[in-house]
Amino acid sequence: NMNMNIAIDGPAGAGKSTVAKLVADRLSYVYIDTGAMYRALTYMALQNEVSVDDGEALKKLLSDLKIELVNKNGKQLIYVNEKDVSEEIRHSEVTNKVSYVAKHSDIRKEMVYKQQQLASGGGTVMDGRDIGTAVLPDAELKLFLNASVDERARRRHEEMISKGFDSNIDVLKEEIRKRDQMDSEREVAPLKKADDAIEIDSTSMSINEVVVLILSFVEERK
Ligand code: C5P
């Protein structure tokens, strides 16, 4: 079996998506951004004035949505009902509400089902919060990517500034802290390192160092 599934979990801003994308490219695997799926539903809830606390209404909304992850020219795009919402789902309004949406067990059940379908043929790198613990408990390689909250806020701040956005590092740090707390303390599939996951603290590592390390774990398992 050559095409394994690789699960990458960890707190907000640890660099999961950057690293997952690069690892997937190197292995010619498919990158699956599960956070984007929760973000897409959150974005549509805000658009349609559906309360993020109303599990029933969210479930109804989700049943009307076709959420697709599309790889176009090396870019990871997300479509909802044929509309490209890749940029919108990164806005801070969505970021600061998504953990409320992700608390609902019915919503998670649907999302997990879709994610398991996407990974059923193997050859994926999937990142999120509950991949190693709930979505792909049999993944051949599980990683838990971490970094100090200061470092995660600093990286996010640099990214915002480089894109020409206003940014306040203290506000970012508080938002990250709050989102991690909600994700870690929720009842259903909280953010948690799987027992058999390898923890990588990237606080003082470069992106390339993390990628090389992960590829070495992949080689060991081939
Ligand atoms: O990874 P990203 O920061 O885009 O995830 C956004 C939010 O989606 C997380 O803070 C979490 O609330 C939720 N999420 C989740 N389970 C996943 C992926 C994301 O609950 N597997």
Side-chain angles (χ1 to χ4, degrees), residues 5-10 16 31-35 37-38 108 111-112 115-116 119 124-144 186 189-194 196-197:
N5 284 316
I6 302 174
I8 306 184
D9 291 302
K16 298 183 300 291
Y31 165 55
I32 300 169
D33 177 356
T34 64
M37 298 168 66
Y38 291 96
R108 301 202 68 83
M111 295 294 194
V112 168
Q115 291 154 7
Q116 288 172 339
T124 72
V125 182
M126 191 178 280
D127 80 342
R129 302 293 185 289
D130 62 339
I131 311 306
T133 53
V135 181
L136 304 176
D138 297 327
E140 284 81 357
L141 177 60
K142 298 182 185 178
L143 304 157
F144 193 85
R186 71 174 171 233
L191 166 65
K192 187 177 172 291
K193 179 188 159 309
D196 53 351

Side-chain angles (χ1 to χ4, degrees), residues 20-222:
K21 230 177 283 177
L22 289 167
V23 169
D25 283 348
R26 288 288 297 272
L27 299 169
S28 298
Y29 279 15
V30 178
Y31 165 55
I32 300 169
D33 177 356
T34 64
M37 298 168 66
Y38 291 96
R39 285 172 179 273
L41 175 59
T42 305
Y43 170 69
M44 293 304 289
L46 295 175
Q47 286 289 302
N48 291 283
E49 294 179 18
V50 169
S51 165
V52 295
D53 297 321
D54 188 341
E56 277 302 311
L58 288 169
K59 190 177 170 191
K60 166 80 179 63
L61 175 63
L62 181 58
S63 71
D64 291 332
L65 303 180
K66 187 172 81 173
I67 298 177
E68 293 171 292
L69 299 171
V70 181
N71 206 317
K72 222 184 211 171
N73 307 325
K75 273 197 154 191
Q76 185 73 28
L77 302 177
I78 182 145
Y79 285 79
V80 177
N81 294 349
E82 320 292 343
K83 182 179 182 285
D84 182 355
V85 296
S86 312
E87 279 195 21
E88 289 85 343
I89 64 163
R90 304 291 159 196
H91 290 170
S92 61
E93 295 80 8
V94 174
T95 302
N96 293 331
K97 287 288 181 205
V98 62
S99 294
Y100 295 87
V101 169
K103 273 168 69 168
H104 300 285
S105 63
D106 282 350
I107 298 300
R108 301 202 68 83
K109 214 179 281 170
E110 283 294 316
M111 295 294 194
V112 168
Y113 176 75
K114 285 180 203 227
Q115 291 154 7
Q116 288 172 339
Q117 297 286 304
L118 292 171
S120 61
T124 72
V125 182
M126 191 178 280
D127 80 342
R129 302 293 185 289
D130 62 339
I131 311 306
T133 53
V135 181
L136 304 176
D138 297 327
E140 284 81 357
L141 177 60
K142 298 182 185 178
L143 304 157
F144 193 85
L145 189 58
N146 215 334
S148 71
V149 68
D150 283 295
E151 177 61 15
R152 290 184 281 130
R154 194 192 63 76
R155 289 178 191 168
R156 180 91 187 110
H157 179 68
E158 305 238 302
E159 184 189 341
M160 297 291 281
I161 296 289
S162 77
K163 287 181 178 166
F165 293 115
D166 284 340
S167 178
N168 178 319
I169 195 159
D170 294 320
V171 171
L172 283 179
K173 202 159 111 181
E174 202 37 51
E175 286 173 354
I176 287 174
R177 206 197 300 274
K178 184 167 179 221
R179 192 144 65 96
D180 287 349
Q181 186 178 0
M182 283 195 66
D183 290 341
S184 307
E185 291 179 355
R186 71 174 171 233
E187 258 167 62
V188 193
L191 166 65
K192 187 177 172 291
K193 179 188 159 309
D195 291 334
D196 53 351
I198 302 170
E199 180 153 8
I200 302 174
D201 183 339
S202 76
T203 304
S204 51
M205 291 173 82
S206 69
I207 289 165
N208 190 52
E209 284 172 329
V210 176
V211 171
V212 167
L213 181 62
I214 294 176
L215 290 171
S216 77
F217 294 140
V218 173
E219 274 312 309
E220 284 171 13
R221 277 161 183 76
K222 270 189 175 166

